[in-house]
Amino acid sequence: MPRKPAKPVADVQGQRDHRHIAIDKVGVKDILYPITVLDREARHQHTVARVSMTVNLPQRFKGTHMSRFVELLNEHCRDMSTSAIPSILRAMRARLKAETAHLEARFPYFLLKRAPVSGAAGLMSYECVVQGEGTARGVRLAAEVRVPITALCPCSKAISERGAHNQRGLVTVRFGFARFVWPEEIIHMVESSASCEIYSVLKREDEKWVTERAYDRPMFVEDVARTVARKLRRHGGLSWFSVEVENHESIHAHSAYARIDSGPDPELAAPPPAARRRGKVG
Amino acid sequence: MPRKPAKPVADVQGQRDHRHIAIDKVGVKDILYPITVLDREARHQHTVARVSMTVNLPQRFKGTHMSRFVELLNEHCRDMSTSAIPSILRAMRARLKAETAHLEARFPYFLLKRAPVSGAAGLMSYECVVQGEGTARGVRLAAEVRVPITALCPCSKAISERGAHNQRGLVTVRFGFARFVWPEEIIHMVESSASCEIYSVLKREDEKWVTERAYDRPMFVEDVARTVARKLRRHGGLSWFSVEVENHESIHAHSAYARIDSGPDPELAAPPPAARRRGKVG
Amino acid sequence: MPRKPAKPVADVQGQRDHRHIAIDKVGVKDILYPITVLDREARHQHTVARVSMTVNLPQRFKGTHMSRFVELLNEHCRDMSTSAIPSILRAMRARLKAETAHLEARFPYFLLKRAPVSGAAGLMSYECVVQGEGTARGVRLAAEVRVPITALCPCSKAISERGAHNQRGLVTVRFGFARFVWPEEIIHMVESSASCEIYSVLKREDEKWVTERAYDRPMFVEDVARTVARKLRRHGGLSWFSVEVENHESIHAHSAYARIDSGPDPELAAPPPAARRRGKVG
Amino acid sequence: MPRKPAKPVADVQGQRDHRHIAIDKVGVKDILYPITVLDREARHQHTVARVSMTVNLPQRFKGTHMSRFVELLNEHCRDMSTSAIPSILRAMRARLKAETAHLEARFPYFLLKRAPVSGAAGLMSYECVVQGEGTARGVRLAAEVRVPITALCPCSKAISERGAHNQRGLVTVRFGFARFVWPEEIIHMVESSASCEIYSVLKREDEKWVTERAYDRPMFVEDVARTVARKLRRHGGLSWFSVEVENHESIHAHSAYARIDSGPDPELAAPPPAARRRGKVG
């Protein structure tokens, strides 16, 4: 049984703060939440996201109202398609009386994929992040897509009498939206840039095919990064990008790593997100 | 400035408990701690462990004294060699007035390893766990050693015109001590049971060698598990064992997995550790 | 373009093995997969699981057919309710010609929960695992449910003039099914055994209520473990159980920990699962 | 036995590349390595680091020589004190013929700390990262220090008749070096900015003290961030900083979060590190 409050329930968060330090981001982090996102076949798919929501806090306010973030999540966020994010950000700015709102959702995204010879179908999962920043000037969107690949070492192939070491690699592409971009577009660009793509189900005839294909397309971690970067550069829908490739070497216990950045504005997608309005603290 | 206590500082933990339920294990978990362990060249090596320490609690006592675990850790546990563990367990049983004491330390263990052709030397790290259980009847020791390997798929080699998919695998061996066993003994058994072992530094001539060796020794996840199990069975110093092999397939986003158990007493090493005195609660 | 196989595509896995070592478990591990599970309101909820599937492999066979696991997953496993698991296990045993089949799925399970005073509704997530073992003698089911709680320290309250340290704790219950058990039953038992339960949304009046309730119900990690164990013992639907409580102490960087086991058969749920048929290797 | 190479061992990495895309960073990632670092009492402490090492790769070269990174690690990197990093970066640039070299090491850093009343001593661990970037113009250093704290909620205290919810928080400070900075300086600034600091060993009289101290110093996540930011701003030795506070709420399953950035150059420390030379790809 709830007890009757004897004290008045004070609004501590609404009090004035006198330290003259604005807060870039304040809010809730790591809420696990079932969401739907749009997939290219024009349907929604069900998945589970790890969600963070923040707003800025001007220097005169002591605190934000944390429960409002979760209320907003419950009201608006079952649909986390990038097309739904602008209205969520608008609601956050209004309800929390903030100039800036940020939202981030990290979730596995599933695609049905057919084996290359047998056509056997299986679900592949790709880790995705969508991020939105809403201000009075509008909304900026960014995303991250992680694509597993096969990488076969050109040096190992060139120097060996037989065989070549190969391994699973993970390609992480981060980018800003100049226009709407499907995760499928990024996934396809990456998968076509590797020694071979990765599948969920492979029958014997498929395994022969992927083995030989990887052997015929040897690639260093640098090659994969460059091939993906060239495609991202030509895409037309991205305001900036970065590509990271990490090969879980089958002959070492560490990874081989390469990274290429396009230039402006990587921060929007960088986890944890970095400052945008400079100099305000000092 | 510490304040003067106005209330007497009561021993709440020492009070009687009336629920008639004994507690199998109570204590502290996940303390990060710098330790030394013995390595085979008869010297101590420095590493960092994640330590858990527990005792049993008879049904009549309300609680244990948590600070005593950390005090004991500070007094005794800089050296966590398996030879030092019996005295730590004895001290735990005495200080906490317990019948049973458990200790677990998880740490990377480093070995210098030479590349197969060039002889170039580099440090390899192997994740190890040591576990001890102390009772009035004595001490039982168990351990876990994780060894990364290269695994090359026999099916892929057999059906393909050229190449064969291969990947990093991870072999986890858990075992009870019938006599003292060096981690090096287990590591060597596992490394000699794979398509090829893994190295820290490989020059070009070494890379040729490991590539061809793996191609010449194709092994399924089942083959590695069986080969390791056969060696563990013949070892003579183990009271029980289990071996798990997990290959991070280069053609899939999931792992291939195999496990073989020897039989009695796997619980001592199972994380989280399972019950030993049966039926006492029901 | 797939190439024409010049070699015949051999069945390497079907070959005989001569090492006379049976394999307890072989299969696929860590497949991320969108599933539905039953929730108590008689509807299915959508979530995402990490799935592992294994079978035993008699000593005469060289290898299992890994692709069949993923095919079975695609055919049968969209519904991973415990009521659907027996038929999946039957299909695994048939398709892989095995005596024993194991399935494990780990997923977040979501429940709508109302704040104690305001009634504000929000989704809570609880990590669950379901495990099934199918043999010729039938199916055994086990599960694991993780419930976050608030724990307030009785010692801190007793000795201090004001306040008491409290923290988030995590209670992990593992159990075997004597009859069908809802996750909601376990969750309710745990939440009613803590200093206070945890909520997704709390308005100001709720925050007052949970603060005072936790202060009025101080509990050691031992108390929570015992209270939960007593309820599990009386439940009637469990063939065995274990309860672990881990408090992420607000005054330390490590956890306080307690564990109580009921007795028989903890292995079914222990991750990684331990041996069941003893002595067969040695 | 190593076999005799029949093919000449070609320098594949040294070949020309024709895609006209420079690579920002290429190298090795996640090597576990035992290191020493300087601690303030003018001695070295032993710890274990997760190390990554990269260089830039001009557009005309196909690949870098991965084994040289690990050789350099073995030759130079037992000592990873910030004072030793410039010479490691110089060696990386020379051996790999690169303009830019980056090094990152993540490790637990241990300090002996005394309980506030009893004076009982215990080791605390703080996760630290050091990062160095070496170019022809010199070396830039950055670091990250993570400090666990106790945070007690001012709102909960204000509205409740008794008690107040509190929890473990984690404060992450990232900063650039204007001059040499000890981790101890950052740790002390953070620990003095929380409701209470965290200890490894607390006797009963200490537990009373920390409980009452936290109750007397209630702080929102915003308060901790602002208090730390104000101290960092006044420090004098930092070229830039960011502070993140994450409270693992004892009444919720998610975290409360706040972040303040000082301004210029957060990228140096952002993991993964973002682009520095802009526009070169597009």
Side-chain angles (χ1 to χ4, degrees):
Chain A
M1 254 306 294
R3 288 124 208 230
K4 190 97 43 77
K7 284 198 205 175
V9 175
D11 180 4
V12 183
Q13 287 88 344
Q15 291 169 3
R16 302 226 87 186
D17 194 87
H18 303 286
R19 276 162 299 192
H20 303 295
I21 299 181
I23 295 182
D24 294 81
K25 295 189 170 182
V26 57
V28 293
K29 192 162 175 287
D30 289 333
I31 302 183
L32 220 54
Y33 211 80
I35 62 166
T36 59
V37 291
L38 222 54
D39 76 28
R40 206 182 202 170
E41 331 278 284
R43 294 169 323 167
H44 282 81
Q45 68 170 251
H46 296 275
T47 185
V48 171
R50 186 167 291 276
V51 177
S52 297
M53 304 168 80
T54 59
V55 294
N56 74 312
L57 187 73
Q59 55 175 58
R60 69 185 177 283
F61 295 117
K62 183 164 172 62
T64 194
H65 292 84
M66 295 286 181
S67 65
R68 295 183 191 170
F69 290 100
V70 189
E71 289 174 333
L72 281 162
L73 185 65
N74 289 325
E75 291 164 23
H76 291 80
C77 300
R78 283 293 185 139
D79 180 357
M80 281 261 182
S81 304
T82 46
S83 57
I85 286 177
S87 69
I88 304 172
L89 291 168
R90 213 174 306 120
M92 286 170 66
R93 293 175 59 227
R95 183 85 63 95
L96 287 144
K97 297 182 177 51
E99 298 146 32
T100 313
H102 287 92
L103 173 74
E104 180 181 296
R106 178 175 295 270
F107 53 88
Y109 184 74
F110 296 95
L111 292 180
L112 194 74
K113 195 171 165 180
R114 296 197 169 278
V117 180
S118 71
L123 273 187
M124 283 286 296
S125 96
Y126 303 90
E127 190 179 331
C128 289
V129 183
V130 296
Q131 291 177 308
E133 179 189 67
T135 64
R137 294 185 312 280
V139 166
R140 291 198 305 167
L141 290 175
E144 178 182 318
V145 181
R146 297 193 171 219
V147 184
I149 56 160
T150 303
L152 185 137
C153 179
C155 174
S156 169
K157 177 179 172 180
I159 63 181
S160 304
E161 294 294 314
R162 51 200 175 280
H165 78 81
N166 52 78
Q167 48 267 321
R168 203 189 296 163
L170 185 66
V171 180
T172 302
V173 175
R174 295 185 187 84
F175 61 96
F177 285 64
R179 62 157 172 79
F180 178 75
V181 179
W182 287 104
E184 286 87 338
E185 297 175 53
I186 305 299
I187 291 166
H188 179 70
M189 276 192 278
V190 172
E191 292 190 334
S192 59
S193 303
S195 293
C196 191
E197 36 191 307
I198 269 180
Y199 296 89
S200 167
V201 186
L202 292 172
K203 304 303 294 177
R204 211 170 253 107
E205 58 269 36
D206 303 311
E207 188 168 353
K208 175 181 163 57
W209 189 85
V210 299
T211 301
E212 294 172 355
R213 180 173 168 85
Y215 192 80
D216 294 341
R217 292 162 55 97
M219 285 193 182
F220 286 125
V221 71
E222 295 95 328
D223 293 317
V224 178
R226 278 169 163 150
T227 308
V228 174
R230 192 162 49 173
K231 290 178 185 173
L232 293 168
R233 183 161 52 155
R234 292 172 183 170
H235 180 278
L238 316 179
S239 57
W240 60 270
F241 68 82
S242 77
V243 52
E244 281 185 296
V245 185
E246 187 176 342
N247 284 351
H248 306 299
E249 300 290 284
S250 64
I251 60 171
H252 295 301
H254 57 261
S255 294
Y257 172 87
R259 177 175 177 131
I260 297 172
D261 285 276
S262 72
D265 205 1
E267 300 98 38
L268 186 60
R276 243 161 311 285
R277 284 160 313 132
R278 304 300 162 110
K280 104 223 66 105
V281 176
Chain B
M1 254 307 292
R3 286 127 208 225
K4 191 91 51 73
K7 284 198 205 175
V9 174
D11 180 3
V12 184
Q13 286 89 345
Q15 292 169 3
R16 302 226 90 187
D17 194 85
H18 302 287
R19 276 163 299 193
H20 303 294
I21 300 182
I23 295 182
D24 294 80
K25 295 190 171 182
V26 57
V28 294
K29 192 164 176 285
D30 289 333
I31 301 183
L32 219 55
Y33 212 80
I35 62 165
T36 58
V37 291
L38 222 54
D39 76 28
R40 206 182 203 170
E41 331 279 288
R43 293 169 323 164
H44 282 82
Q45 70 170 250
H46 296 276
T47 185
V48 172
R50 187 167 291 275
V51 177
S52 298
M53 304 168 80
T54 58
V55 294
N56 75 313
L57 187 71
Q59 55 175 58
R60 69 185 177 282
F61 295 119
K62 184 165 173 60
T64 194
H65 291 85
M66 295 285 181
S67 65
R68 295 184 190 170
F69 291 99
V70 189
E71 288 174 335
L72 281 162
L73 185 65
N74 289 325
E75 290 163 25
H76 291 79
C77 301
R78 283 294 185 138
D79 179 357
M80 281 262 184
S81 303
T82 45
S83 57
I85 286 178
S87 69
I88 304 172
L89 291 168
R90 212 173 308 120
M92 286 170 66
R93 293 175 59 227
R95 184 84 62 95
L96 287 144
K97 299 181 178 50
E99 297 145 31
T100 313
H102 286 92
L103 173 74
E104 180 180 297
R106 177 176 296 271
F107 53 86
Y109 184 75
F110 296 95
L111 292 180
L112 195 74
K113 195 170 165 181
R114 295 197 169 277
V117 181
S118 70
L123 272 187
M124 283 286 296
S125 95
Y126 303 89
E127 191 178 332
C128 290
V129 183
V130 296
Q131 292 177 307
E133 180 190 66
T135 64
R137 294 185 311 281
V139 166
R140 291 198 304 167
L141 289 176
E144 177 182 318
V145 181
R146 298 192 171 219
V147 184
I149 56 159
T150 302
L152 185 137
C153 178
C155 173
S156 169
K157 177 179 172 179
I159 63 181
S160 304
E161 294 295 312
R162 53 202 174 277
H165 79 81
N166 51 78
Q167 48 267 321
R168 203 189 296 162
L170 185 66
V171 180
T172 303
V173 175
R174 295 184 187 85
F175 61 96
F177 286 63
R179 61 157 173 79
F180 178 76
V181 179
W182 288 104
E184 285 87 338
E185 297 175 53
I186 305 297
I187 291 166
H188 179 70
M189 275 192 278
V190 172
E191 292 190 334
S192 59
S193 304
S195 293
C196 191
E197 37 191 306
I198 270 179
Y199 296 89
S200 167
V201 187
L202 291 172
K203 304 303 295 178
R204 211 170 254 108
E205 57 270 35
D206 303 310
E207 188 168 351
K208 175 182 163 56
W209 189 85
V210 298
T211 302
E212 294 172 355
R213 179 174 169 84
Y215 192 79
D216 294 340
R217 292 163 53 98
M219 286 194 181
F220 286 125
V221 72
E222 294 94 329
D223 293 318
V224 178
R226 277 171 164 149
T227 309
V228 174
R230 192 162 49 173
K231 290 178 185 173
L232 293 168
R233 184 163 47 156
R234 291 173 183 171
H235 180 279
L238 316 179
S239 58
W240 60 269
F241 68 82
S242 77
V243 52
E244 282 185 296
V245 186
E246 187 176 342
N247 284 352
H248 306 299
E249 301 289 286
S250 64
I251 60 171
H252 294 302
H254 58 262
S255 294
Y257 172 87
R259 176 175 177 129
I260 297 172
D261 285 276
S262 72
D265 205 3
E267 299 96 41
L268 186 60
R276 242 160 312 282
R277 286 160 310 132
R278 303 298 161 112
K280 105 223 65 105
V281 176
Chain C
M1 254 305 295
R3 287 123 208 230
K4 191 88 57 66
K7 284 197 204 176
V9 175
D11 181 2
V12 183
Q13 288 88 344
Q15 292 168 2
R16 301 227 92 187
D17 195 86
H18 303 285
R19 277 163 298 193
H20 303 294
I21 299 181
I23 296 183
D24 294 81
K25 295 191 171 181
V26 57
V28 294
K29 191 162 177 287
D30 288 333
I31 300 183
L32 219 55
Y33 212 80
I35 61 165
T36 59
V37 291
L38 222 56
D39 77 27
R40 205 182 204 169
E41 332 277 286
R43 292 169 325 164
H44 282 81
Q45 69 170 251
H46 296 276
T47 186
V48 171
R50 186 167 292 275
V51 177
S52 298
M53 303 168 80
T54 58
V55 293
N56 76 312
L57 186 73
Q59 53 176 59
R60 69 184 178 283
F61 295 119
K62 184 165 172 61
T64 194
H65 291 85
M66 295 286 181
S67 65
R68 295 185 191 167
F69 290 100
V70 189
E71 288 174 334
L72 281 162
L73 185 64
N74 289 325
E75 291 163 24
H76 290 81
C77 301
R78 285 293 187 137
D79 180 357
M80 282 263 183
S81 303
T82 46
S83 56
I85 285 177
S87 68
I88 304 172
L89 291 168
R90 214 174 305 121
M92 286 170 66
R93 293 176 59 228
R95 184 84 63 95
L96 287 143
K97 298 182 179 46
E99 297 145 32
T100 313
H102 286 93
L103 173 74
E104 180 181 296
R106 179 175 294 270
F107 53 88
Y109 183 75
F110 296 95
L111 291 180
L112 195 73
K113 194 170 164 181
R114 296 197 169 278
V117 181
S118 71
L123 274 187
M124 283 287 294
S125 96
Y126 303 90
E127 191 179 331
C128 289
V129 183
V130 295
Q131 292 177 306
E133 180 190 65
T135 64
R137 295 185 312 280
V139 165
R140 292 197 304 168
L141 289 174
E144 177 181 317
V145 180
R146 297 191 172 220
V147 184
I149 57 159
T150 303
L152 186 138
C153 178
C155 173
S156 168
K157 177 179 173 180
I159 64 181
S160 304
E161 295 293 314
R162 52 202 175 279
H165 78 81
N166 51 78
Q167 49 268 321
R168 205 190 296 163
L170 184 65
V171 180
T172 302
V173 175
R174 296 185 187 83
F175 61 95
F177 286 63
R179 61 158 173 79
F180 178 76
V181 179
W182 288 103
E184 285 87 338
E185 297 174 55
I186 305 299
I187 291 165
H188 180 69
M189 274 192 280
V190 172
E191 292 190 334
S192 59
S193 303
S195 293
C196 191
E197 38 191 306
I198 269 180
Y199 296 88
S200 165
V201 187
L202 292 172
K203 305 303 295 178
R204 210 169 254 107
E205 56 271 35
D206 303 309
E207 187 168 352
K208 174 181 164 58
W209 190 85
V210 298
T211 302
E212 294 172 356
R213 179 172 167 87
Y215 192 80
D216 294 341
R217 291 163 54 97
M219 287 194 182
F220 287 124
V221 71
E222 295 94 329
D223 293 317
V224 178
R226 278 170 162 150
T227 309
V228 174
R230 191 161 51 174
K231 290 178 185 172
L232 293 168
R233 184 162 50 155
R234 291 172 183 171
H235 180 278
L238 316 179
S239 57
W240 61 270
F241 68 81
S242 78
V243 52
E244 282 185 296
V245 185
E246 186 176 343
N247 284 351
H248 306 298
E249 300 290 286
S250 64
I251 60 171
H252 295 301
H254 57 261
S255 293
Y257 172 87
R259 175 172 178 133
I260 297 172
D261 285 276
S262 70
D265 205 3
E267 299 98 39
L268 186 62
R276 241 161 312 285
R277 287 160 310 133
R278 302 301 161 113
K280 103 224 66 106
V281 175
Chain D
M1 254 307 293
R3 288 122 207 232
K4 190 90 54 69
K7 283 197 205 178
V9 175
D11 180 3
V12 183
Q13 286 89 344
Q15 292 170 1
R16 302 226 91 188
D17 194 88
H18 302 286
R19 276 163 299 194
H20 304 295
I21 299 181
I23 294 183
D24 295 81
K25 295 190 171 180
V26 57
V28 294
K29 192 164 176 286
D30 290 333
I31 301 183
L32 219 55
Y33 212 81
I35 61 165
T36 59
V37 291
L38 222 56
D39 78 26
R40 205 182 203 169
E41 331 280 284
R43 293 169 324 165
H44 282 81
Q45 70 169 252
H46 296 276
T47 185
V48 171
R50 185 168 291 275
V51 177
S52 298
M53 304 167 80
T54 59
V55 294
N56 75 312
L57 186 72
Q59 54 176 57
R60 68 184 177 284
F61 295 118
K62 184 163 174 61
T64 194
H65 292 84
M66 295 286 180
S67 65
R68 296 184 190 169
F69 291 99
V70 188
E71 290 174 334
L72 282 161
L73 186 64
N74 288 325
E75 291 164 25
H76 291 80
C77 301
R78 284 294 186 137
D79 180 357
M80 281 262 182
S81 302
T82 46
S83 57
I85 285 177
S87 67
I88 304 172
L89 291 168
R90 213 174 306 120
M92 286 171 65
R93 292 176 58 229
R95 184 84 62 95
L96 287 144
K97 298 182 177 51
E99 297 146 32
T100 314
H102 286 92
L103 173 75
E104 181 180 294
R106 179 175 295 270
F107 53 89
Y109 184 75
F110 296 95
L111 292 180
L112 194 74
K113 195 170 164 180
R114 295 195 170 280
V117 181
S118 70
L123 274 187
M124 283 287 295
S125 96
Y126 303 90
E127 190 180 332
C128 289
V129 183
V130 297
Q131 293 176 306
E133 180 190 66
T135 64
R137 294 184 312 280
V139 165
R140 291 198 304 168
L141 290 175
E144 178 182 318
V145 180
R146 297 191 172 221
V147 184
I149 57 159
T150 302
L152 185 138
C153 178
C155 173
S156 169
K157 176 179 174 179
I159 63 180
S160 304
E161 295 294 313
R162 53 202 175 277
H165 79 81
N166 52 78
Q167 49 267 319
R168 204 190 297 163
L170 184 66
V171 180
T172 302
V173 175
R174 295 185 186 84
F175 62 95
F177 285 63
R179 61 156 173 80
F180 178 76
V181 180
W182 288 104
E184 285 87 338
E185 297 175 54
I186 306 298
I187 291 166
H188 179 71
M189 275 192 279
V190 172
E191 291 190 334
S192 60
S193 303
S195 293
C196 190
E197 38 191 305
I198 269 180
Y199 297 88
S200 165
V201 187
L202 291 171
K203 305 303 295 176
R204 209 170 255 108
E205 57 270 36
D206 303 309
E207 187 169 352
K208 174 181 164 59
W209 190 84
V210 298
T211 301
E212 294 172 355
R213 179 171 168 85
Y215 192 80
D216 294 340
R217 292 163 54 97
M219 286 195 182
F220 287 124
V221 71
E222 294 95 328
D223 293 318
V224 178
R226 277 169 164 150
T227 309
V228 174
R230 191 161 51 174
K231 291 178 185 172
L232 292 168
R233 183 162 50 156
R234 291 172 183 171
H235 180 278
L238 316 179
S239 58
W240 61 269
F241 68 82
S242 77
V243 52
E244 281 185 295
V245 185
E246 187 176 342
N247 283 352
H248 306 299
E249 301 289 285
S250 65
I251 60 171
H252 295 302
H254 57 262
S255 294
Y257 173 87
R259 176 174 178 131
I260 297 172
D261 285 276
S262 72
D265 205 2
E267 299 97 37
L268 186 61
R276 242 161 313 284
R277 285 161 311 134
R278 304 298 162 113
K280 102 223 68 105
V281 176

